[in-house]
Amino acid sequence: MQVTVTVNGEEYTRDVDTRLLLVHFLRDHLGLTGTHWGCDTSNCGVCTVWLDGVPVKSCTVLAVMADGHAVRTVEGLERNGTLDPVQEGFVQCHGLQCGFCTPGMMLTARWLLDHNPDPSEEQIREAISGQSCRCTGYENIVRSVRWAAEHSTVEATK
């Protein structure tokens, strides 16, 4: 089946098998390998992307379901050579270790800050609760999101 998906602002049309998962479409058909594939059960959240502005686990979405829709991946956070404050926060506060969960965490954090520019630690932890990190214990991830909240501007997130 032919699908047309707008990914990070660019439109792509590809012929795909109707069983192809969005995570594999992004990685294998578009070469966007920032979206990781983890557990095959939608428990870990490492495959999180935005579908029409809402975080989804791309291992639960078929590529054909994204036909005509907009997807944002971690590659779409950076704007004009400038890191998003969330990306910068992960650097500044050591919010990543192995980096496997990082793309999904960053997209979830960006979504949270777009909807709540000054979240509490509890709200940050709740927002990322659908994602597993096996390395950091979440303390530095939470600090990274707080850093981004304190350093974000309206212009930085658009």
Side-chain angles (χ1 to χ4, degrees):
M1 178 175 180
Q2 189 174 75
V3 297
T4 300
V5 182
T6 301
V7 181
N8 300 326
E10 189 171 334
E11 189 173 277
Y12 297 90
T13 300
R14 299 287 190 277
D15 288 319
V16 299
D17 186 306
T18 57
R19 299 171 294 169
L20 183 70
L21 294 173
L22 181 57
V23 64
H24 297 304
F25 176 75
L26 295 168
R27 292 180 61 79
D28 302 337
H29 289 256
L30 303 185
L32 297 172
T33 57
T35 302
H36 295 152
W37 176 43
C39 66
D40 272 343
T41 60
S42 78
N43 289 319
C44 72
V46 302
C47 66
T48 299
V49 298
W50 288 8
L51 182 62
D52 293 335
V54 178
V56 299
K57 294 177 181 177
S58 62
C59 73
T60 65
V61 177
L62 296 170
V64 296
M65 295 167 68
D67 184 37
H69 295 276
V71 173
R72 187 174 187 191
T73 70
V74 70
E75 290 92 345
L77 285 178
E78 170 270 330
R79 298 282 190 211
N80 300 318
T82 302
L83 294 178
D84 183 275
V86 169
Q87 293 170 306
E88 186 66 30
F90 271 69
V91 171
Q92 295 296 323
C93 299
H94 310 287
L96 59 126
Q97 295 293 312
C98 78
F100 200 68
C101 73
T102 305
M105 290 282 189
M106 287 181 174
L107 284 161
T108 300
R110 176 77 273 145
W111 182 88
L112 171 65
L113 295 177
D114 286 351
H115 292 83
N116 180 357
D118 189 27
S120 67
E121 180 177 330
E122 182 179 315
Q123 291 167 322
I124 294 168
R125 288 182 181 279
E126 183 178 335
I128 64 172
S129 67
Q131 297 169 284
S132 298
C133 175
R134 295 182 177 111
C135 300
T136 68
Y138 302 96
E139 292 301 317
N140 289 346
I141 293 170
V142 172
R143 277 200 263 316
S144 299
V145 177
R146 281 297 320 142
W147 188 97
E150 293 164 7
H151 294 86
S152 286
T153 64
V154 173
E155 282 303 308
T157 62
K158 290 191 176 181

